[in-house]
Amino acid sequence: MRPFKYSKTSEASKAVSIVSGSPKAQFLAGGTNILDLMKEDVERPDQLVDITRLQINQVTTLASVGGKAGVKLGALGKNTEAANHPLVRQQFPVLSQAILAGASAQIRNMATNGGNLNQRTRCPYFYEVSMPCNKREPGSGCSALKGINRMHAIFGWSENCVAVHPSDMCVALAALDAKVEVQGAKGKRSIDFKDYHRLPGDQPEKDNTLEHGELITAIDLPGNSFNKSYYLKIRDRASYAFALVSVAALLETNGSTIRRASIALGGVAHKPWRAYEAEKFLAGKSATAENFRQAAELEMKQAKTLAHNEFKIELGVRAIVQALNQALES
Amino acid sequence: MREETIDPELTADERRLLEDLLHDENDDFSAAGLQRRNFLKQVMAAGGGVLALQLAGENNLLAQAVPASPSAVPPGTINTVKLSLKVNGVVRSLTLDSRMTLLDALREKLALTGAKKGCDHGQCGACTVLVDGQRVLSCLTLAAGCEAKSVTTIEGLAKSGKLHPVQASFLKNDGFQCGYCTPGQICSAVALLKEAKNGEASYVTKDLRTKGPVQLSPEEIRERMSGNICRCGAYPNIVAAIREVHEGKDAAQAWSFVEQTNHSS
Ligand SMILES: Cc1cc2nc3c(=O)[nH]c(=O)nc-3n(C[C@H](O)[C@H](O)[C@H](O)COP(=O)(O)OP(=O)(O)OC[C@H]3O[C@@H](n4cnc5c(N)ncnc54)[C@H](O)[C@@H]3O)c2cc1C
Ligand code: FES
Ligand code: FES
């Protein structure tokens, strides 16, 4: 690991001003991603500002917008606390499930809600510093495009990058239309979740729309009227592995009719992928296996596969159907 | 010539060994000046690594990692951090490089070698310890961030000479083979039992909306222990050991020593 200066602060504005003012400084939250990447020499900060002592770590009720109260997750709260908080378990069980499907108990005890959003891809070429990777070293090329790309994207990729976003939590947040609250040197702003992470385009080095030095302070979950939900994760082993495909499915039903669906997919794109085609198809239809299958096929028809990940299409169809079925039973 | 090119921070033993190993053609790189932190790497490059260390009768050298005083500034430290933390109930003061992980601090500075370095990347759980009562991975925790925290390692679980119930149950149920993963497994299991009591859910918990303690089925235990890999595959016995403590009843010991071995056939 390269040498770096370590400092800690309990003031958000101080953390922001240090990192904003220094191009190679970074925030240190749970450390489960950045320290790993520093050991691999992928991340090379010259300064880490430890933000774990910031007091923005609580789960609180969010004032209601049009009827239903939502929940605010402090950015420095731990993944374990978010998943187990009664407000989240009662109102947003799909988020609890998604968090609990990720990593291990030890890692979830360390990982923070903000850090989870900013974790970087697990593409092996990104990790291997001797190989070209546009995300790590812009302009060097994408080794995965013609390399081993079984784990890689089938939606929204570009010739420059076929990596996927690895988070489970973020898939549920995408389906829940969360908002990311951030504080920067120029002030505060709120980013819709769908606009938070980026597609690679010609700037795959940018995972999200945050500016250098901007701090995530909270993640807001607006109240909603979904009454059924499920998070399904398909992976190479039963637990403690990243998703091949995952699905966060939310349904608002009236009897056997689907009023509205919200579906997001993980493991398939550079950002959590909202299945808008499937959602549109399901609105107003009855909740039958046939409709679920058609919705899933409609969505997966948009996919563009690479040499080794064609299996993700059929897997994706089946995963969407199963997630919808399990949501219905919830 | 060599006297002045070798970093004065090297110990006498290190210097002697390096001189044995360096060939004339390596004078060039020694002229660049050696940092102590590069020392072992150079030894490896110069000739046969650990084998050479042993041949040269210098194996004591590797044991020097534990300094007499953990609060002295170690040679080669670049960004010095000073901190105090509680380890197994005792306040310890440390002076270390900002890069040092909690795992390395425990093992190299405090001589607590129970927590193991399996992967150093968060993938195996061998380094699991409890920080403020929570199970965490010490290999992905910066020691510098542990100021005023309370760390419990496998060495701190037994109380007044009596094994922690989870330790006793691992012994009784034969919850290991080589034992490398065991300190991490046991620390993890100790925390797991508390988490279940507190009603914390897992991915396989059926209904997230119900509250109260979780009854640990084998499926629940497997999911909750999935962050601890055992390359010996002692999983069935690990699950049995945890179950026994969770259920609070003494299961029959699953194994016994063979009293007499008869090789006469
Ligand atoms: C072995 C292993 C398996 C894993 N498996 C999974 C899995 O199956 N599913 C899954 O979803 N995840 C998985 N993870 C990833 C884990 O969830 C992330 O590493 C974790 O969520 C990152 O959070 P952190 O607080 O530790 O972030 P850090 O490592 O501290 O930071 C990550 C990045 O975010 C930045 N950052 C942190 N907080 C903020 C903030 N408030 N504002 C702005 N920037 C910030 C940091 O500067 C850094 O760049 C796994 C990790 C490991 C090591
Ligand atoms: S050594 Fe920490 S998880 Fe493997
Ligand atoms: S007992 Fe050998 S690794 Fe688990």
Side-chain angles (χ1 to χ4, degrees):
Chain A
M1 198 187 286
R2 289 170 197 241
F4 61 88
K5 201 176 139 214
Y6 171 87
S7 63
K8 54 178 183 270
T9 175
S10 47
E11 279 172 61
S13 58
K14 199 159 165 219
V16 168
S17 89
I18 299 175
V19 176
S20 305
S22 172
K24 288 177 76 185
Q26 294 212 50
F27 300 119
L28 171 71
T32 59
N33 191 227
I34 195 165
L35 292 178
D36 184 27
L37 289 168
M38 286 165 69
K39 289 181 185 188
E40 298 282 7
D41 208 25
V42 175
E43 297 275 12
R44 302 168 178 185
D46 62 5
Q47 185 174 2
L48 285 183
V49 180
D50 185 340
I51 53 174
T52 50
R53 286 162 208 246
L54 300 188
Q55 294 305 303
I56 41 175
N57 55 5
Q58 305 290 315
V59 177
T60 49
T61 304
L62 188 67
S64 80
V65 207
K68 289 217 164 189
V71 167
K72 182 186 272 299
L73 308 176
L76 271 304
K78 298 292 162 68
N79 276 182
T80 298
E81 294 158 11
N84 276 298
H85 197 282
L87 285 173
V88 179
R89 276 172 71 165
Q90 296 299 320
Q91 286 175 249
F92 304 99
V94 71
L95 179 61
S96 296
Q97 279 173 331
I99 294 172
L100 294 170
S104 66
Q106 289 95 315
I107 294 171
R108 295 190 299 269
N109 280 341
M110 305 165 75
T112 62
N113 300 325
N116 195 306
L117 265 55
N118 286 6
Q119 63 174 297
R120 311 219 58 196
T121 185
R122 309 299 286 205
C123 172
Y125 300 104
F126 174 70
Y127 266 76
E128 178 47 66
V129 291
S130 67
M131 301 288 286
C133 168
N134 285 325
K135 188 179 271 303
R136 177 169 30 76
E137 212 182 309
S140 62
C142 173
S143 302
L145 186 64
K146 297 262 151 46
I148 297 169
N149 47 35
R150 177 174 172 274
M151 300 291 290
H152 292 72
I154 55 171
F155 289 113
W157 51 268
S158 74
E159 298 280 313
N160 300 312
C161 180
V162 294
V164 299
H165 194 265
S167 167
D168 290 293
M169 179 185 191
C170 291
V171 180
L173 293 175
L176 289 165
D177 283 316
K179 287 190 193 307
V180 186
E181 305 298 325
V182 310
Q183 175 177 346
K186 287 180 244 149
K188 299 185 178 177
R189 63 188 180 118
S190 171
I191 309 168
D192 285 345
F193 209 77
K194 66 175 169 36
D195 301 323
Y196 183 77
H197 293 103
R198 296 177 68 255
L199 287 178
D202 56 6
Q203 270 190 305
E205 70 277 15
K206 288 189 143 191
D207 296 348
N208 54 52
T209 48
L210 221 53
E211 276 168 33
H212 179 73
E214 269 188 317
L215 176 80
I216 303 173
T217 55
I219 298 154
D220 289 354
L221 308 169
N224 66 49
S225 47
F226 296 112
N227 55 332
K228 311 257 175 207
S229 70
Y230 193 72
Y231 185 75
L232 176 71
K233 182 175 183 184
I234 309 287
R235 44 192 154 177
D236 281 328
R237 53 185 191 199
S239 183
Y240 202 19
F242 288 93
L244 290 166
V245 171
S246 70
V247 186
L250 294 156
L251 293 171
E252 180 187 341
T253 57
N254 180 11
S256 63
T257 306
I258 299 167
R259 278 209 179 123
R260 197 159 65 98
S262 182
I263 303 169
L265 308 178
V268 296
H270 196 258
K271 61 188 280 188
W273 189 258
R274 269 294 282 273
Y276 291 119
E277 294 296 324
E279 292 176 14
K280 246 187 276 171
F281 176 86
L282 288 172
K285 299 246 170 35
S286 53
T288 62
E290 183 46 36
N291 281 336
F292 288 170
R293 175 106 205 154
Q294 276 194 43
E297 282 173 353
L298 209 58
E299 185 65 42
M300 299 309 288
K301 235 178 35 206
Q302 323 287 318
K304 249 173 66 188
T305 58
L306 302 160
H308 307 121
N309 65 10
E310 213 185 309
F311 73 97
K312 283 194 179 181
I313 294 196
E314 182 57 23
L315 189 63
V317 170
R318 294 184 192 200
I320 294 172
V321 171
Q322 191 184 328
L324 288 166
N325 276 324
Q326 293 200 233
L328 213 54
E329 284 168 23
S330 69
Chain B
M1 160 74 188
R2 271 188 200 142
E3 270 314 297
E4 60 217 47
T5 56
I6 291 175
D7 188 311
E9 279 173 355
L10 294 180
T11 64
D13 279 347
E14 287 168 340
R15 191 176 313 205
R16 194 151 38 82
L17 175 58
L18 200 57
E19 283 172 354
D20 283 351
L21 291 172
L22 285 179
H23 303 296
D24 289 342
E25 61 268 28
N26 282 340
D27 276 352
D28 274 358
F29 83 39
S30 65
L34 284 169
Q35 294 285 322
R36 190 174 187 279
R37 68 198 160 95
N38 282 334
F39 168 69
L40 282 178
K41 226 194 246 169
Q42 306 290 18
V43 168
M44 300 292 170
V50 174
L51 185 64
L53 289 176
Q54 279 164 0
L55 287 178
E58 302 288 349
N59 36 6
N60 280 345
L61 209 131
L62 289 172
Q64 283 184 4
V66 179
S69 160
S71 56
V73 181
T77 302
I78 299 183
N79 292 292
T80 309
V81 179
K82 284 180 187 288
L83 73 148
S84 304
L85 74 173
K86 213 182 229 182
V87 180
N88 297 331
V90 180
V91 175
R92 308 296 301 255
S93 296
L94 295 172
T95 302
L96 36 79
D97 188 293
S98 63
R99 290 169 290 183
M100 190 171 244
T101 61
L102 175 60
L103 176 61
D104 286 341
L106 291 169
R107 294 181 56 86
E108 310 294 335
K109 301 215 124 222
L110 299 175
L112 292 169
T113 54
K116 296 288 183 279
K117 188 181 282 191
C119 66
D120 213 21
H121 289 281
Q123 300 180 356
C124 75
C127 65
T128 303
V129 299
L130 309 176
V131 173
D132 292 342
Q134 305 270 332
R135 49 175 160 164
V136 300
L137 300 177
S138 57
C139 74
L140 291 183
T141 301
L142 275 190
C146 293
E147 168 69 35
K149 294 198 174 164
S150 174
V151 180
T152 305
T153 68
I154 188 75
E155 290 92 342
L157 286 180
K159 288 282 172 291
S160 9
K162 201 165 173 285
L163 291 181
H164 187 284
V166 176
Q167 290 176 305
S169 189
F170 265 66
L171 274 175
K172 182 171 155 200
N173 288 280
D174 210 8
F176 45 81
Q177 283 182 37
C178 76
Y180 194 82
C181 70
T182 313
Q185 300 277 4
I186 290 178
C187 287
S188 200
V190 167
L192 180 167
L193 293 167
K194 198 187 76 188
E195 291 159 11
K197 217 180 204 165
N198 292 344
E200 291 184 26
S202 84
Y203 184 58
V204 301
T205 304
K206 288 289 172 296
D207 185 3
L208 290 173
R209 292 197 169 100
T210 51
K211 292 180 202 151
V214 179
Q215 192 56 37
L216 292 175
S217 62
E219 188 195 16
E220 280 278 7
I221 294 173
R222 283 196 294 268
E223 166 59 26
R224 288 164 190 262
M225 290 296 290
S226 70
N228 292 84
I229 308 290
C230 172
R231 69 193 164 167
C232 296
Y235 299 113
N237 295 0
I238 293 171
V239 173
I242 296 170
R243 245 192 138 191
E244 183 176 325
V245 184
H246 175 63
E247 290 174 359
K249 52 177 183 266
D250 252 358
Q253 185 162 298
W255 55 272
S256 61
F257 290 112
V258 177
E259 296 216 326
Q260 216 176 15
T261 322
N262 190 343
H263 290 299
S264 62
S265 67

